[in-house]
Amino acid sequence: MFQQILSLMGNLAEQTGLAQIWWGNIFMIFVGAILVYLALYRKYEPFLLLGIGFSCIVANVPGSDLTQPGGLFYYAYQGVELVIIPPLIFLGVGAMTDFGPMIANPSLMILGAAAHLGIFIALIGAKALGFTLAEAGAIGIIGGADGPMAIFVTMKLAPHLLPQIAVAAYSYMALMPLIQPPIMKLLTSPAERQIVMVQSRKVSRLEKICFPFVMAIIVNLLLPPVAPLITMLMLGNMLREVLLVDRLASTAANDLMNVITITLTVAVGSTMEADKFLNIKTLQIIVLGLIAFIGGTASGVIGAKIMNWFSGGKINPLIGSAGIASVPIAARVSHVVGLQENPYNFLIMHAMGPNLAGVFGTAISGGIMLALIGVK
């Protein structure tokens, strides 16, 4: 009788996840818990890290089959794999974004290019490590700090690397408040960080309405590989600026964006299964992604220092780090670091110029890669 009970208990245990769990699952559950901790207690972009961390934990609990075909997380991931979610995110971002700071001071668009050196550093590093040119291009785009663009380019060049690249891109975007400030302070003096910039000119409503139409035409003509993303970005911005379809603009910027964010973070986190994620390629991509972010931040700050010198001391070099495309995270980091040096120095609107230009900088970089390396 006792043996029968033990046998029944053994059979029951084999049907649960306990019989399948291994150290890799435990390690990734710990990683997910760290992401949740950073979201809740350090407040590092909780809208991103909370969902990613939670789904990482759940995906590494054996037995649920959430990530298998037919599972809940599987369907969330299809929106990423079929490149449905990235354009919808750009639609929401466009509806939330005021491109006025970039239009008011177009010279700062140079910083949107300067801060993208990290893309090419990571590309060269990936090629040196033995990745194919297509894989290296996909890895390099992490340095643009644009999650949807990273997903879009990766699905065209190296879809098998999407889990690692998506996780690296979104994790580092959320951790910008931790990654960028030490580099910014290392490359600038206290006097440079205290520079107060003059208020930009007021941008007319006509300029704001014309901007999305002009940019959509230019991108479709010159960068057709990335036209779906930038077109949706400009559509969302047009809905915002015409002031006639507030309900549509509000839906794109709020309700739709919230649903897409939940779906995206669940999809990204669910790819962090131990058996697929714990390998040498993942470690290499994570390291290369960090190098790309550091390189982009540094090149942006150095570019702003050069512009400051030519302007006669009128540009705060801190805004150069905002030239990478994570809107508005990078601009907010520039603003916070500036406030630490001068509590009366408000850099947020100045930093938004390079930050928004960085979106187009990443699109240009991604478009060039897709055109030269080849769209699959």
Side-chain angles (χ1 to χ4, degrees):
M1 183 68 177
F2 182 69
Q3 289 181 341
Q4 289 179 334
I5 293 174
L6 287 178
S7 178
L8 288 173
M9 294 296 291
N11 291 336
L12 179 62
E14 288 179 0
Q15 295 177 29
T16 68
L18 292 173
Q20 305 171 38
I21 197 166
W22 62 296
W23 70 265
N25 296 128
I26 297 173
F27 177 79
M28 291 308 297
I29 288 173
F30 179 70
V31 170
I34 292 176
L35 296 179
V36 172
Y37 166 80
L38 292 173
L40 294 180
Y41 293 97
R42 301 301 298 272
K43 295 181 173 56
Y44 290 151
E45 297 304 321
F47 285 95
L48 294 177
L49 286 189
L50 194 58
I52 293 174
F54 177 81
S55 53
C56 172
I57 292 171
V58 175
N60 281 283
V61 176
S64 65
D65 292 332
L66 287 171
T67 61
Q68 301 303 313
L72 180 63
F73 287 178
Y74 170 82
Y75 288 112
Y77 184 72
Q78 292 308 295
V80 174
E81 191 173 60
L82 298 175
V83 199
I84 297 170
I85 289 179
L88 292 178
I89 291 177
F90 267 59
L91 174 69
V93 170
M96 291 189 295
T97 303
D98 178 8
F99 282 93
M102 188 179 78
I103 300 171
N105 197 346
S107 64
L108 295 181
M109 292 181 66
I110 296 173
L111 298 178
H116 282 70
L117 181 62
I119 291 177
F120 302 99
I121 293 175
L123 187 154
I124 294 170
K127 197 68 181 73
L129 289 174
F131 289 93
T132 67
L133 185 57
E135 291 173 335
I139 294 168
I141 208 67
I142 296 173
D146 188 330
M149 186 65 71
I151 291 172
F152 186 84
V153 172
T154 300
M155 285 307 301
K156 300 294 184 180
L157 296 180
H160 57 287
L161 295 181
L162 181 61
Q164 293 91 335
I165 290 175
V167 168
Y170 277 99
S171 297
Y172 286 140
M173 283 169 59
L175 294 174
M176 273 188 191
L178 184 65
I179 297 171
Q180 286 193 309
I183 304 163
M184 297 160 67
K185 293 178 181 178
L186 178 65
L187 296 175
T188 56
S189 66
E192 288 176 323
R193 295 195 291 271
Q194 293 180 34
I195 294 174
V196 177
M197 298 179 63
V198 298
Q199 185 174 357
S200 301
R201 71 175 180 86
K202 185 176 180 180
V203 178
S204 69
R205 178 60 51 187
L206 179 61
E207 289 177 285
K208 290 185 176 183
I209 292 175
C210 291
F211 178 79
F213 291 94
V214 173
M215 289 305 302
I217 292 171
I218 292 174
V219 168
N220 278 273
L221 281 174
L222 302 181
L223 297 169
V226 294
L229 297 184
I230 301 302
T231 297
M232 293 300 282
L233 179 72
M234 293 297 97
L235 173 60
N237 188 244
M238 183 268 292
L239 296 176
R240 167 195 170 94
E241 298 300 347
V242 295
L243 302 180
L244 293 174
V245 287
D246 292 347
R247 189 176 64 188
L248 297 180
S250 177
T251 298
N254 296 289
D255 299 338
L256 178 63
M257 192 64 168
N258 291 336
V259 172
I260 293 300
T261 298
I262 293 172
T263 306
L264 175 68
T265 55
V266 166
V268 170
S270 68
T271 64
M272 299 172 70
E273 293 177 284
D275 57 340
K276 300 176 182 176
F277 205 76
L278 293 179
N279 55 61
I280 188 63
K281 280 193 173 183
T282 297
L283 179 60
Q284 290 173 335
I285 291 171
I286 295 295
V287 172
L288 288 168
L290 179 59
I291 292 172
F293 268 62
I294 292 173
T297 300
S299 63
V301 172
I302 292 172
K305 285 170 70 76
I306 295 171
M307 289 188 68
N308 178 54
W309 183 78
F310 277 106
S311 70
K314 297 179 180 179
I315 295 177
N316 191 313
L318 292 177
I319 69 172
S321 65
I324 53 181
S326 182
V327 180
I329 303 172
R332 193 160 58 234
V333 172
S334 298
H335 176 68
V336 170
V337 175
L339 282 178
Q340 292 172 354
E341 296 292 333
N342 180 354
Y344 302 102
N345 193 5
F346 297 94
L347 293 175
I348 186 68
M349 294 308 295
H350 300 289
M352 281 300 295
N355 201 189
L356 294 169
V359 175
F360 296 101
T362 303
I364 292 171
S365 300
I368 291 173
M369 287 184 185
L370 292 176
L372 295 182
I373 298 175
V375 179
K376 292 185 178 181

